[in-house]
Amino acid sequence: MRIAISGTHCMGKTTFIKDFLKIYPEYVYEEEPYYQLQEIHGIEFSEDPALEDFIEQLKYSLERLDFYAAQANIILERCPIDYVAYSMYLLHQEGMTLEDTRVSEMFLEIKEALENLDLIIFLPMTKEHPIICPESEDESYRRAVDAVLKKIYRDDLLDFFPNHAHPHLIEIWGNPKERMKKLEFYLGEMT
C-alpha cells in the first residue's frame, strides 16, 4: 500500500510512522518535504509561514507521489492536502482565497496525485486525546490548520475526493498504542 500521514503540526506524525515501521518494517519511509527540501536540496524556508514555501512543498509532495506511483509499501509523512490547508490558513489571514493563487491551478494535479495513494491516515486534534504542542509553537495556528483539514477531509470542501472510495481515508487518534491498534483494525478491514 501507498500511505500518507496527514495532520497539522505537532500531532505525532513522525512518532506514528516510527511505531508503524516497527510493525511493518517492509515499508519505505518518505520524510516530509519540508525537511527533504532543506537537507537534500538546500532550500531555505522563511521563519514565518509563507505561501511560496507551501507551494514549493506541495509541488515536491506531488512529485514524490508520482515517483512512488508504481511502487508498493510506501509511507509518506504528509499529504499534498496538508499544504493546501496551510495555504488556506495563511491566505485567510491575509484576506485572500485559494482562487487568488497558483494553488487552485494545481487542483487537477492534486486530484490525480491522490489517486496514487491507497490510504490517507488523518491524525485530527481531539479533546479526549490532546497532544501537547511545544510552547515555541503557535497553538492557534495549529488549531486553525486542523480545522481546515477537518473541513477538507470530512466535508470534501474542495472536491478532492469525487470517487469517495479511493484513496481510503481514515482518522486515527489516541495514545500511540491505541493508534496502532486502530490502524491494524482498519488495515484488516481493508484486506
Side-chain angles (χ1 to χ4, degrees), residues 39-114:
E39 294 166 14
I40 299 169
H41 302 284
I43 295 175
E44 292 294 323
F45 293 114
S46 61
E47 204 167 298
D48 293 323
L51 183 61
E52 287 304 314
D53 293 345
F54 293 134
I55 290 173
E56 190 69 32
Q57 292 170 71
L58 172 59
K59 288 181 350 190
Y60 189 78
S61 177
L62 295 172
E63 287 172 17
R64 299 308 290 168
L65 277 177
D66 286 343
F67 175 79
Y68 287 120
Q71 297 183 38
N73 297 338
I74 307 296
I75 186 161
L76 301 105
E77 186 174 1
R78 293 253 178 231
C79 176
I81 291 173
D82 290 21
Y83 303 108
V84 174
Y86 277 97
S87 297
M88 288 176 69
Y89 164 80
L90 190 61
L91 290 165
H92 178 74
Q93 300 304 309
E94 297 173 3
M96 299 170 63
T97 65
L98 282 178
E99 289 75 27
D100 301 324
T101 71
R102 291 186 302 152
V103 177
S104 64
E105 296 169 10
M106 300 171 73
F107 277 11
L108 181 58
E109 189 178 354
I110 293 168
K111 286 181 186 182
E112 290 171 355
L114 290 174

Side-chain angles (χ1 to χ4, degrees), residues 2-188:
R2 291 175 302 276
I3 302 170
I5 309 301
S6 179
T8 191
H9 49 291
C10 302
M11 284 306 298
K13 291 179 294 298
T14 305
T15 301
F16 182 89
I17 291 171
K18 286 178 182 175
D19 292 342
F20 175 90
L21 291 172
K22 288 176 189 170
I23 300 169
Y24 304 98
E26 69 276 15
Y27 274 74
V28 172
Y29 164 48
E30 174 82 9
E31 189 177 31
E32 75 171 272
Y34 178 84
Y35 297 113
Q36 286 195 49
L37 287 167
Q38 284 187 323
E39 294 166 14
I40 299 169
H41 302 284
I43 295 175
E44 292 294 323
F45 293 114
S46 61
E47 204 167 298
D48 293 323
L51 183 61
E52 287 304 314
D53 293 345
F54 293 134
I55 290 173
E56 190 69 32
Q57 292 170 71
L58 172 59
K59 288 181 350 190
Y60 189 78
S61 177
L62 295 172
E63 287 172 17
R64 299 308 290 168
L65 277 177
D66 286 343
F67 175 79
Y68 287 120
Q71 297 183 38
N73 297 338
I74 307 296
I75 186 161
L76 301 105
E77 186 174 1
R78 293 253 178 231
C79 176
I81 291 173
D82 290 21
Y83 303 108
V84 174
Y86 277 97
S87 297
M88 288 176 69
Y89 164 80
L90 190 61
L91 290 165
H92 178 74
Q93 300 304 309
E94 297 173 3
M96 299 170 63
T97 65
L98 282 178
E99 289 75 27
D100 301 324
T101 71
R102 291 186 302 152
V103 177
S104 64
E105 296 169 10
M106 300 171 73
F107 277 11
L108 181 58
E109 189 178 354
I110 293 168
K111 286 181 186 182
E112 290 171 355
L114 290 174
E115 287 294 318
N116 293 328
L117 287 171
D118 298 301
L119 177 64
I120 297 171
I121 299 173
F122 172 44
L123 305 179
M125 294 180 78
T126 66
K127 290 179 184 172
E128 299 80 19
H129 300 282
I131 295 179
I132 307 303
C133 194
E135 286 185 24
S136 60
E137 295 290 338
D138 181 346
E139 184 65 20
S140 62
Y141 174 36
R142 179 179 177 233
R143 289 189 178 284
V145 172
D146 178 71
V148 174
L149 284 166
K150 287 174 179 170
K151 287 179 186 175
I152 292 172
Y153 287 130
R154 294 175 180 173
D155 304 333
D156 198 12
L157 177 68
L158 300 172
D159 194 33
F160 282 137
F161 305 100
N163 188 347
H164 296 291
H166 198 81
H168 292 278
L169 171 65
I170 60 173
E171 293 187 23
I172 294 182
W173 59 90
N175 66 44
K177 190 174 182 177
E178 291 170 333
R179 296 193 313 182
M180 282 303 110
K181 195 176 232 182
K182 288 177 185 179
L183 175 61
E184 290 184 273
F185 172 79
Y186 285 123
L187 292 178

